[in-house]
Amino acid sequence: GKYAEALPFARRAVEIQPNDPAALGNLSITLFSLDEIAEARQYIEKALEIEPTNQINRAIYSHFVG
């Protein structure tokens, strides 16, 4: 599907900008959609450490905590 196609691009974006909350959030949601939950959570937690007030990433994180 589209998420599988997007995954290498999302990973590359994080390689290029490892501290960019948007790139980390995009990678997280892509992994989450591919059922790679543990890895996805690591990236969204890193994104929120960098920018705790980012509302989009907070919404993504809510999928992990119910």
Side-chain angles (χ1 to χ4, degrees):
K2 298 290 182 194
Y3 288 106
E5 293 174 21
L7 184 58
F9 298 100
R11 286 194 188 281
R12 182 69 179 132
V14 169
E15 288 175 16
I16 293 167
Q17 295 183 305
N19 294 312
D20 178 54
L24 292 162
N26 288 337
L27 179 54
S28 178
I29 201 69
T30 301
L31 289 164
F32 184 88
S33 298
L34 293 169
D35 220 25
E36 298 291 338
I37 306 303
E39 187 179 2
R41 186 173 184 146
Q42 291 174 355
Y43 285 107
I44 201 61
E45 287 176 349
K46 180 177 179 182
L48 289 172
E49 286 175 16
I50 295 165
E51 187 180 4
T53 60
N54 183 303
Q55 293 301 310
I56 294 170
N57 286 340
R58 289 170 64 89
I60 294 168
Y61 185 71
S62 71
H63 292 287
F64 295 96
V65 295

